Amino acid sequence: QVQLVESGGGLVQAGGSLRLSCAASGRTFSSYNMGWFRQAPGKEREFVAVISRFGSSTGYADSVKGRFTISRDNAKNTVYLQMNALKPEDTAVYYCAASQLGIWYVPSLQQRQFYDDWGQGTQVTVSS
């Protein structure tokens, strides 16, 4: 298991930017693919972005491609989500998650069932 704590959420105007952070415990951070998911009011939790163990590969939901960037710093046990050009429909609770899936395969890493550990979430609200 890895313990995950998200931070950086808050209120931002449409068109603005926000950077989320997810801090992980332990020495095994680089063993995990790291993902971001979000859950808006009345909707299912949905995939946002994923990054491979050493940051060489990434995947994004079509809805955020070109606006959001996922990155990681294994020396700091931290994964980030840079969110630009924010829209009201980006309003959601954002969750960090860790997956030990043995093969880099984005279709699997888009699904909640392939993640082993989850953070508590951080609220992002985009005003119009």
Side-chain angles (χ1 to χ4, degrees), residues 24-101:
S25 65
R27 300 180 184 179
T28 60
F29 180 65
S30 63
S31 297
Y32 295 88
N33 304 293
M34 298 297 299
W36 287 96
F37 288 73
R38 67 187 183 187
Q39 188 164 19
K43 298 184 69 177
E44 296 278 345
R45 191 171 300 187
E46 66 176 357
F47 168 78
V48 175
V50 64
I51 189 165
S52 61
R53 290 173 172 84
F54 295 98
S56 58
S57 299
T58 59
Y60 297 91
D62 287 343
S63 59
V64 307
K65 196 171 296 182
R67 299 189 298 122
F68 291 10
T69 303
I70 188 170
S71 62
R72 68 192 296 163
D73 186 341
N74 287 353
K76 296 181 178 179
N77 276 16
T78 303
V79 63
Y80 305 95
L81 185 68
Q82 178 66 46
M83 310 165 68
N84 297 328
L86 283 161
K87 304 174 181 179
E89 51 261 46
D90 295 318
T91 295
V93 176
Y94 283 71
Y95 297 90
C96 177
S99 173
Q100 295 197 75
L101 190 69

Side-chain angles (χ1 to χ4, degrees), residues 105-118:
Y105 187 55
V106 172
S108 293
L109 290 164
Q110 292 173 334
Q111 302 178 58
R112 299 190 302 271
Q113 66 194 73
F114 290 98
Y115 288 82
D116 303 286
D117 299 288
W118 294 81

